[in-house]
Amino acid sequence: MSKSKAIQEDSLASAWITPFVQHGGPRYLQIADMLERALSDGSLRPGDRLPPQRRLAALFQIDLTTVTRAYDEAKRRNLLEGQGARGTYVAAPKVELTQMLDLSMNIPPPPAGVDFDDLLKQGVAQVLMRTDSDLLMSYHLGGGGKADRAAGAVWLAPMFDHVEAEQVVACPGAQAALAALILTLSRPGDSILTEPAVYPGLRSAAGLLNRKTIVVETDADGMLPDALEKAGRKHRARLVYLNPTLQNPTAHTMPVARRLAITQVAIRCGMHIIEDDPYWLLASDAPPPLAHYAPGNVSYIATLSKCLAPGLRMAYALVPDAQLRERFVQALRSFSLMATPLTTALATQWIHDGSAHALLAGVRSEADARQDVIRTILTGTSHPRSDGIHVWFSLPSYWTSRELADTARAQGVAVTASDAFHTSKPPNAIRISLGSIRDRARLASALKKLSLLLAHKPVLHQEFVI
């Protein structure tokens, strides 16, 4: 091979290289992320040969060990494959006959610039070093210990500036907190007022606890204050459920003026609001929570499942009133005696030592990158510029929500049809979740499959008779 041709191939093979981001995490992970982005945007294609590791180390001006770790990480993500003396090449996509490309589960994506495995190992090691292992395997009273509630106060501080730790209850997930609040704040047969699009877990909990959900009219800003007051009086309802920031499923955020108006109705009519706010920390410019404006009429829930990791099974409920808080803890203990001590201790450790906020920053960065991916591949989102980990996608008239979801699943892509969130007259839309597919390149592949489906009308199958 001539020297000029070698230089040309070297240049093409390294075109994906971008500068390191300061405070962007370990450099070996940044290199693996560069490779993944290049595969996603087409800068690299299967079969492309990468520079030798020594050459890449020289290009980056880093040590060889860092490049070796980066290539090992990329191979772990199925991005690269080594071919012995021939070098390292971009891998062809692996054929996975049984694994679904899951765009239906709302979980946070792998955090950009964070070695999660290392963070987990260090966190557990710190917990075991500081805590008696017998305590981690024993019973604990629900609601969390002093350190757990203090961690919750730290986690909630960005929403409220300052939170008193004694007002916080550490809960084994938001669903448990939600069920306990329903038990505390209502009686069998009571009504809970909601928006038309509502988190399915609320409907599930309400049904099992023999409560009715009543839909209140909305506009582009969310629940209408006049309609809320009218429904409250008509149904004698005293409990309202709202998910006002990056709402699931619409990704809509209720503006400040509407939040103020809603809380004024609650105060005037003696209503209590359950504010389920799992996505506030993923929003770039979220308004203050409803609980900020009416702390006596709002119980606030923030879970770690949507912005850190579902496996932590930790949520924090802010309940300022002492008597209500005690009843809430008793209700929580009636069906979930305690959160798992080990994961509770890990969440507390991560929040107090700053690891949780580094993890959150990585999740936000990756979520932003994935929002860019979907905007590049699909058009027609209800909110063209959105934050968070899901998108509400309006369908062309020739597809129904259920038809599209069923057809996509048959082709190996799972999305959530609108009827999962609406009890009647669901809009013609689907929710696309961006976090559960680990690799960004595979996310792009799933979105491209959806794009191809959306570009054509459904195929009408004719019955074959023998």
Side-chain angles (χ1 to χ4, degrees):
M1 182 186 296
S2 68
K3 185 176 180 181
S4 61
K5 186 175 181 181
I7 292 173
Q8 183 181 17
E9 286 191 1
D10 196 27
S11 175
L12 289 171
S14 59
W16 52 272
I17 294 175
T18 57
F20 288 118
V21 177
Q22 190 175 11
H23 308 304
R27 288 185 168 186
Y28 82 94
L29 286 177
Q30 290 197 47
I31 295 172
D33 290 341
M34 289 178 204
L35 287 164
E36 192 165 350
R37 283 194 297 273
L39 269 168
S40 178
D41 64 23
S43 302
L44 283 175
R45 298 180 181 278
D48 286 349
R49 186 177 186 273
L50 293 183
Q53 293 186 26
R54 291 187 185 279
R55 175 58 183 152
L56 197 62
L59 290 169
F60 275 116
Q61 297 184 342
I62 57 177
D63 60 87
L64 179 61
T65 303
T66 301
V67 176
T68 300
R69 290 189 72 189
Y71 274 26
D72 287 344
E73 171 64 18
K75 289 173 183 175
R76 189 186 67 78
R77 299 184 192 181
N78 298 318
L79 304 177
L80 304 180
E81 59 184 4
Q83 297 187 11
R86 295 184 62 225
T88 303
Y89 292 79
V90 177
K94 290 189 178 296
V95 178
E96 299 182 17
L97 299 177
T98 59
Q99 186 170 347
M100 184 74 63
L101 291 167
D102 189 1
L103 300 174
S104 67
M105 186 176 294
N106 241 19
I107 63 174
V114 176
D115 187 335
F116 187 81
D117 291 345
D118 187 55
L119 188 70
L120 184 59
K121 290 173 185 175
Q122 289 187 25
V124 172
Q126 287 293 318
V127 167
L128 294 175
M129 185 187 306
R130 297 168 185 237
T131 309
D132 188 328
S133 58
D134 288 340
L135 290 176
L136 294 173
M137 293 294 116
S138 185
Y139 284 111
H140 294 250
L141 287 178
K146 185 177 180 180
D148 306 322
R149 293 178 185 234
V154 171
W155 191 251
L156 297 175
M159 299 81 149
F160 297 98
D161 296 328
H162 176 74
V163 174
E164 296 293 338
E166 63 266 21
Q167 297 180 352
V168 177
V169 180
C171 308
Q175 187 67 27
L178 179 58
L181 282 171
I182 292 173
L183 279 171
T184 305
L185 295 165
S186 63
R187 298 177 180 177
D190 282 357
S191 297
I192 303 172
L193 305 181
T194 74
E195 293 184 334
V198 65
Y199 166 55
L202 180 277
R203 290 211 314 265
S204 175
L208 289 170
L209 296 173
N210 194 24
R211 273 70 166 174
K212 296 175 290 185
T213 53
I214 304 295
V215 170
V216 177
E217 187 180 355
T218 60
D219 64 7
D221 286 340
M223 185 178 282
L224 289 165
D226 290 346
L228 171 62
E229 186 164 354
K230 181 179 178 181
R233 297 188 189 284
K234 178 180 178 181
H235 299 281
R236 298 182 179 180
R238 290 292 176 264
L239 190 56
V240 184
Y241 171 87
L242 287 169
N243 170 202
T245 306
L246 297 178
Q247 193 233 23
N248 181 18
T250 66
H252 172 265
T253 294
M254 184 183 288
V256 170
R258 181 58 54 86
R259 293 177 186 231
L260 279 167
I262 290 291
T263 54
Q264 287 168 2
V265 171
I267 293 170
R268 185 167 62 248
C269 298
M271 295 179 180
H272 197 95
I273 299 172
I274 297 175
E275 184 174 12
D276 189 6
D277 211 15
Y279 308 108
W280 195 96
L281 289 168
L282 297 178
S284 55
D285 190 23
L290 298 163
H292 173 81
Y293 302 109
N297 291 75
V298 182
S299 293
Y300 184 84
I301 306 173
T303 180
L304 303 186
S305 294
K306 304 303 183 186
C307 51
L308 294 187
L312 289 171
R313 299 313 306 139
M314 178 52 54
Y316 300 107
L318 179 61
V319 187
D321 182 81
Q323 291 184 344
L324 176 60
R325 187 167 61 252
E326 181 57 33
R327 298 203 317 273
F328 167 61
V329 172
Q330 290 176 1
L332 191 63
R333 291 172 184 166
S334 71
F335 60 85
S336 184
L337 180 63
M338 63 180 186
T340 304
L342 180 58
T343 54
T344 299
L346 179 60
T348 297
Q349 173 69 31
W350 275 354
I351 290 172
H352 284 309
D353 70 14
S355 298
H357 290 88
L359 187 53
L360 172 65
V363 168
R364 286 191 60 171
S365 177
E366 182 62 23
D368 288 346
R370 290 175 180 230
Q371 290 281 353
D372 289 339
V373 170
I374 192 171
R375 279 192 297 277
T376 300
I377 296 173
L378 294 180
T379 59
T381 54
S382 298
H383 304 282
R385 182 65 184 96
S386 182
D387 297 317
I389 59 175
H390 65 275
V391 167
W392 191 235
F393 189 88
S394 297
L395 298 177
S397 59
Y398 49 79
W399 279 106
T400 68
S401 173
R402 177 49 55 192
E403 282 177 336
L404 191 281
D406 290 344
T407 304
R409 178 170 286 276
Q411 297 193 18
V413 180
V415 296
T416 308
S418 57
D419 56 14
F421 309 97
H422 290 252
T423 53
S424 62
K425 297 183 179 178
N428 197 29
I430 56 173
R431 189 193 70 182
I432 301 172
S433 299
L434 304 176
S436 61
I437 296 177
R438 180 176 177 81
D439 299 330
R440 207 182 298 166
R442 294 185 71 238
L443 170 67
S445 175
L447 293 171
K448 287 172 183 175
K449 282 190 174 185
L450 269 184
S451 181
L452 286 173
L453 276 179
L454 292 164
H456 302 91
K457 294 182 179 181
V459 176
L460 296 178
H461 297 284
Q462 293 183 342
E463 185 178 1
F464 182 65
V465 180
I466 296 178

